[in-house]
Amino acid sequence: MTDNDPLVVFMPSGKRGRFPAGTPLLQAARALGVDVDSVCGGRGICGRCQVLIAEGEFAKHGVRSGATSVTPLSEVESRYANRKGLVAGRRLSCSTRVQSDVVVDVPPESQVHRQVVRKDADAREIKLNPVVRLHYVEVREPDMQDPSGDLRRLMEALEREWQLAGLACDLAVLRDLQTALRKGQWKATVAVHDGKQIIAVWPGFRDKAFGMAVDVGSTTVAAHLCNLGTGELVAAAGIMNPQIRFGEDLMSRVSYAMMNPGGALQMTDAIRSALSALAGELASAAGIEREDILELALVGNPIMHHLVLGIDPTELGGAPFALAVDHSLTLRASSLGLAVHPDARVYVLPCIAGHVGADAAGMILAERPDQGAEMTLLVDVGTNAEIVLGNRDRLLACSSPTGPAFEGAQISCGQRAAPGAIERVRIDPATLEPRYKVIGSDLWSDDAAFAAATSATGVTGVCGSGIIEVIAGMYLAGIINQDGVIDGRLQDRSDRIVANDRTFSYVLHRGAVPMQITQNDVRAIQLAKAALHAGIRLLMDHLGVERVDRIGLAGAFGSHIDPKYAMVLGMIPDCALERVASVGNAAGAGARIALLDSTARTAIEDLVRRVEKIETAIEPRFQAHFIDAMAIPHKQAAYPELRKAVTLPEKKESAAQGATRGRRGRRDTIA
């Protein structure tokens, strides 16, 4: 290269250099370290390396650029345009050669490390830098003068065309290598893991590989299928965790493992079968084969983490709650019996401590509370709530045993979130009449068209978000007091209040399946929310703070909670309501980030070592916080921010005793 050679400037990076006329733009980009994607190695097959030739005078660079700065549209580009289409003005940088000074714009979709915008509520961006990459190569054919093996010649091609040296190769790849090379007439696509390991070889050209991000929850398992080349989310699915039949909560599953020889193995088999079924469902939805899934990233709480790995979780059932392993793992999918590509790898995010697992690590990776000054509270609400509090100075984490009540279990009319489940509830404080919405319809129950709109599903039960709203609504309407006691005296005002043995219930829905909120239901939610709030309060104590600046509600359940009603109930501490929001399935989002960006794996592995774990089981203050948090919204906290948006009822004494006496009197009269 000389000072007389054409100047090539790449935007938006601004990288520049002089190259001899006739140099392919892709070659110039690679020489300058410009981020331009390619799978086919410059053969004009994949179309990943598209660029725009800028038109005009660029005084800053001293360059006049235009169509004549490069060679005309080549035969290779015309062929590609006819086959797959080429946007007007776009050129394939591998087939476009420099003729004179030129400014080249690299669009985001042609960048290897581009940002991928998630299309969920939080719409965060993910840097695309997958650990698995595809490389198209042309391999020298064997001959009598060169007795070298096919693998050696494949590796020579990878080093020559992609500068990949010193690669290892899986045995399963070797078994099919010769067939693949000959079927592809010595042209092949190679999948390389982390720039070190050949994990798949296909005959001919292939430009798509897929990965699966999985959040293994105690109650539900959620999975997302992503195109590793583009970052695109191509399919999503979720199922109930089949381990529920061994126990609804985590400790009951540990007990099952302790009391039943082979019990842990049964639960391991169940969850692995579920993961394989999810892989099949996602592949079918995306129109691909299971074997196209080359990488998985997995998060889960410590007990789910251990059971997926086939590790007996018994040690997690008692102090000191020792994990078998807390650092990240990269394993072959075949070692876990997962029905995907036989040489696919599974990356398991690190755990933080015995009761704060890889799901919490995923939540931290997705939300990065360590990058700001504001005091951020993240809560993944589930059977076992994971709580993270802090900022860039310090991060604390704990778990709190909320139980399955928030997800519909242990509630008389509770059910999982499915079509027909009540998910939104409003109660008129004057008449005590409810109106509600069910999953699958946008209409409220007092709409004339509601019955017709829900005829297919009916009204089948109340899911978690509906349970929170109905009990918070009962408090705001005065049906229950701050202690959670249903006021039986309201029978005189509304037939929605009915006697139920020694207590009272609130009739939410009359129909083929009548639904009542019983006193026991209210107590179950109080116990769950008190455990959650007490865990949060412990972290606030350790950080020495009395308020939080931002609250993120995570998890499949958290994403459907109305922040106002969660705060009315006292699940979370006081905070400006506009600073409380769903952050979606943040644990699953963290798994997806780790799937699509290999650098994020190093980041979270370093970050979890900085997180301070608080063990609620041995904290003497937990019980006091728990008792105060049983009240609605709280026995001590004034909730000034909440009061700006909601008029909270005045405290009133429990009416249980008087109501019971009155009810007995009525029974005597009837008798």
Side-chain angles (χ1 to χ4, degrees):
M1 289 182 284
T2 70
D3 290 343
N4 295 324
D5 287 330
L7 178 66
V8 183
V9 181
F10 287 94
M11 300 299 291
S13 68
K15 293 181 178 179
R16 53 195 285 159
R18 292 190 178 276
F19 296 89
T23 302
L25 289 177
L26 181 59
Q27 182 180 326
R30 286 178 171 171
L32 294 172
V34 175
D35 196 12
V36 180
D37 200 359
S38 175
V39 171
C40 67
R43 293 175 176 84
I45 301 174
C46 70
R48 297 274 188 88
C49 66
Q50 295 180 32
V51 296
L52 284 163
I53 306 304
E55 296 277 350
E57 195 81 39
F58 296 87
K60 177 181 177 181
H61 304 295
V63 170
R64 180 173 183 78
S65 175
T68 59
S69 300
V70 294
T71 51
L73 198 72
S74 67
E75 185 181 339
V76 169
E77 290 173 288
S78 297
R79 234 181 1 252
Y80 180 85
N82 291 333
R83 192 174 76 252
K84 293 190 175 181
L86 196 58
V87 177
R90 292 278 181 96
R91 301 292 303 273
L92 299 183
S93 62
C94 60
S95 299
T96 306
R97 298 174 181 272
V98 178
Q99 291 199 139
S100 60
D101 292 353
V102 64
V103 175
V104 182
D105 184 35
V106 183
E109 56 268 31
S110 296
Q111 298 170 17
V112 177
H113 304 101
R114 57 188 169 275
Q115 299 292 314
V116 180
V117 179
R118 294 185 64 221
K119 296 180 180 177
D120 341 352
D122 48 347
R124 65 171 58 81
E125 292 185 344
I126 302 174
K127 187 175 85 171
L128 184 61
N129 184 22
V131 72
V132 174
R133 294 190 182 278
L134 301 183
H135 305 280
Y136 178 74
V137 292
E138 294 182 0
V139 180
R140 284 190 303 110
E141 295 186 42
D143 57 51
M144 296 298 290
Q145 281 69 44
D146 181 5
S148 61
D150 286 350
L151 179 60
R152 181 183 298 279
R153 281 177 282 104
L154 176 69
M155 288 184 170
E156 286 173 356
L158 287 164
E159 184 168 5
R160 180 177 66 251
E161 299 180 21
W162 294 98
Q163 294 76 55
L164 291 169
L167 297 177
C169 181
D170 284 355
L171 177 60
V173 174
L174 282 175
R175 294 189 184 112
D176 298 325
L177 177 61
Q178 294 189 309
T179 301
L181 290 178
R182 284 154 182 81
K183 185 176 180 181
Q185 298 179 333
W186 306 100
K187 299 177 179 67
T189 302
V190 183
V192 178
H193 186 276
D194 200 23
K196 300 173 184 175
Q197 190 90 14
I198 298 172
I199 62 171
V201 178
W202 297 277
F205 175 73
R206 173 184 289 235
D207 65 349
K208 290 183 179 178
F210 296 87
M212 187 171 151
V214 188
D215 176 14
V216 183
S218 312
T219 305
T220 57
V221 183
H224 293 82
L225 185 71
C226 300
N227 183 320
L228 295 178
T230 65
E232 176 191 5
L233 175 63
V234 295
I239 57 172
M240 297 297 289
N241 189 325
Q243 294 175 345
I244 286 176
R245 68 178 183 267
F246 302 104
E248 284 187 337
D249 57 40
L250 294 174
M251 285 303 106
S252 63
R253 292 182 207 175
V254 173
S255 296
Y256 186 86
M258 293 171 64
M259 299 174 68
N260 297 274
L265 183 58
Q266 285 180 278
M267 290 186 281
T268 292
D269 289 344
I271 189 59
R272 289 180 178 179
S273 295
L275 293 177
S276 291
L278 270 177
E281 183 178 342
L282 291 172
S284 178
I288 66 171
E289 300 297 323
R290 291 170 180 265
E291 290 72 23
D292 293 330
I293 300 174
L294 296 178
E295 180 80 3
L296 293 88
L298 187 146
V299 298
N301 61 58
I303 291 170
M304 293 303 98
H305 169 280
H306 276 38
L307 287 172
V308 169
L309 295 176
I311 300 170
D312 191 316
T314 298
E315 288 297 327
L316 295 171
F321 313 107
L323 290 155
V325 57
D326 59 1
H327 58 70
S328 65
L329 297 169
T330 299
L331 309 164
R332 281 183 170 83
S334 58
S335 70
L336 301 181
L338 303 184
V340 291
H341 190 281
D343 285 320
R345 298 303 199 262
V346 180
Y347 176 75
V348 184
L349 274 73
C351 289
I352 295 172
H355 280 162
V356 184
D359 50 354
M363 180 169 65
I364 292 170
L365 181 59
E367 291 301 308
R368 296 308 299 264
D370 61 299
Q371 293 182 336
E374 61 184 2
M375 188 57 60
T376 297
L377 171 66
L378 300 175
V379 184
D380 191 337
V381 186
T383 306
N384 195 62
E386 280 80 31
I387 306 165
V388 175
L389 179 67
N391 57 14
R392 63 191 177 202
D393 298 322
R394 201 174 163 202
L395 277 181
L396 273 65
C398 74
S399 67
S400 200
T402 52
F406 285 141
E407 295 175 328
Q410 299 176 347
I411 303 298
S412 61
C413 55
Q415 71 160 86
R416 68 183 182 89
I422 294 174
E423 62 171 342
R424 294 279 176 259
V425 179
R426 300 292 181 268
I427 299 176
D428 187 311
T431 64
L432 306 187
E433 284 297 303
R435 59 192 187 99
Y436 46 80
K437 281 185 176 182
V438 301
I439 296 174
S441 173
D442 291 329
L443 301 179
W444 287 92
S445 59
D446 57 351
D447 191 297
F450 177 81
T454 58
S455 59
T457 62
V459 182
T460 56
V462 188
C463 68
S465 60
I467 290 164
I468 287 172
E469 292 194 10
V470 70
I471 293 179
M474 288 168 68
Y475 172 67
L476 292 175
I479 296 169
I480 58 176
N481 68 0
Q482 68 278 358
D483 296 321
V485 177
I486 298 175
D487 189 347
R489 294 171 299 188
L490 294 176
Q491 286 183 112
D492 298 334
R493 280 178 52 193
S494 171
D495 60 1
R496 294 278 176 180
I497 311 299
V498 297
N500 184 358
D501 194 21
R502 296 180 60 82
T503 59
F504 293 88
S505 298
Y506 175 72
V507 179
L508 176 61
H509 169 71
R510 298 185 177 105
V513 182
M515 295 169 204
Q516 298 182 5
I517 304 301
T518 69
Q519 186 66 69
N520 285 340
D521 295 337
V522 177
R523 282 287 178 264
I525 292 298
Q526 283 182 278
L527 291 168
K529 74 98 176 181
L532 176 60
H533 192 113
I536 295 169
R537 187 65 241 187
L538 274 180
L539 298 190
M540 294 174 70
D541 288 350
H542 279 270
L543 280 175
V545 298
E546 289 300 320
R547 61 184 300 276
V548 297
D549 300 314
R550 181 175 79 90
I551 300 176
L553 300 173
F557 172 50
S559 64
H560 295 286
I561 297 174
D562 185 313
K564 180 173 76 173
Y565 288 94
M567 199 176 292
V568 167
L569 196 58
M571 290 175 61
I572 51 179
D574 192 43
C575 182
L577 278 173
E578 67 271 14
R579 301 287 289 154
V580 185
S582 164
V583 294
N585 182 1
R592 188 175 166 214
I593 291 169
L595 176 72
L596 295 175
D597 180 11
S598 58
T599 62
R601 301 181 180 191
T602 303
I604 192 58
E605 287 158 12
D606 292 340
L607 189 54
V608 295
R609 301 282 75 85
R610 289 174 40 201
V611 177
E612 301 171 45
K613 171 63 168 62
I614 305 302
E615 182 51 66
T616 57
I618 59 173
E619 281 283 340
R621 287 170 292 182
F622 182 85
Q623 190 63 25
H625 285 315
F626 179 87
I627 291 169
D628 284 347
M630 280 290 290
I632 302 174
H634 193 272
K635 186 176 181 179
Q636 308 289 345
Y639 279 83
E641 292 292 341
L642 176 62
R643 290 177 185 275
K644 293 177 184 178
V646 179
T647 301
L648 297 180
E650 294 297 322
K651 290 186 177 181
K652 63 178 180 179
E653 293 304 315
S654 170
Q657 187 176 355
T660 301
R661 283 198 301 268
R663 186 184 59 187
R664 284 175 179 163
R666 285 192 296 275
R667 277 188 174 177
D668 291 341
T669 302
I670 292 170

